Amino acid sequence: MEVQQQAAILETLIKNGAPEPEIFTLSRRVEDLQSTLAMAILGALPSEYGGTPRPPLDPEKGRAALARLENLLAADEMSSQDCLREVQPLLADLMPEAALKVLLAQVENFDFQAALDTLRAHQGGGP
């Protein structure tokens, strides 16, 4: 499992006194992998085990919102933050709450590539 492999590498770097930027970069990667795994687990759970049913979304609005946000994230555009705030209610219908929280944090921290990966991981899948 990739989380375990990356965590083991991180542990080795820490024990060997690797430079802080290298440790920080890998620790962010491990954190993202763990979040993705947790979101996948939560997304697979039936609503009676923590998921909440959401009202249906207009598919056209959802596709347009995802495409717009995806394009901005892929271009590393600062306007990704504004777009995400605008489409957040639509995204709440398309992805688990935990995934949306991770996406919000990634965009807030200007980690647009990680945000793009999170968004793509939840396209079309829904909660």
Side-chain angles (χ1 to χ4, degrees), residues 54 57 61-62 65-67 69 73 83-97 99-100 103-104 119 122-123 126-127:
R54 296 185 174 112
L57 170 71
K61 282 185 181 180
L66 283 173
L69 182 59
L73 291 171
C83 180
L84 180 57
R85 280 190 288 274
E86 290 172 23
V87 302
Q88 185 175 346
L90 295 173
L91 290 175
D93 289 335
L94 298 173
M95 57 188 354
E97 183 179 346
L100 184 54
L103 179 66
L104 289 166
L119 182 65
H122 295 282
Q123 282 185 331

Side-chain angles (χ1 to χ4, degrees), residues 19-64:
E20 283 186 30
E22 189 176 346
I23 291 171
F24 178 77
T25 299
L26 187 55
S27 68
R28 292 285 301 198
R29 173 77 177 136
V30 170
E31 181 181 347
D32 288 342
L33 289 169
Q34 287 175 325
S35 295
T36 301
L37 177 61
M39 290 181 297
I41 292 168
L42 287 173
L45 290 175
S47 61
E48 63 264 19
Y49 294 106
T52 55
R54 296 185 174 112
L57 170 71
D58 175 7
E60 282 301 312
K61 282 185 181 180
R63 279 192 291 275

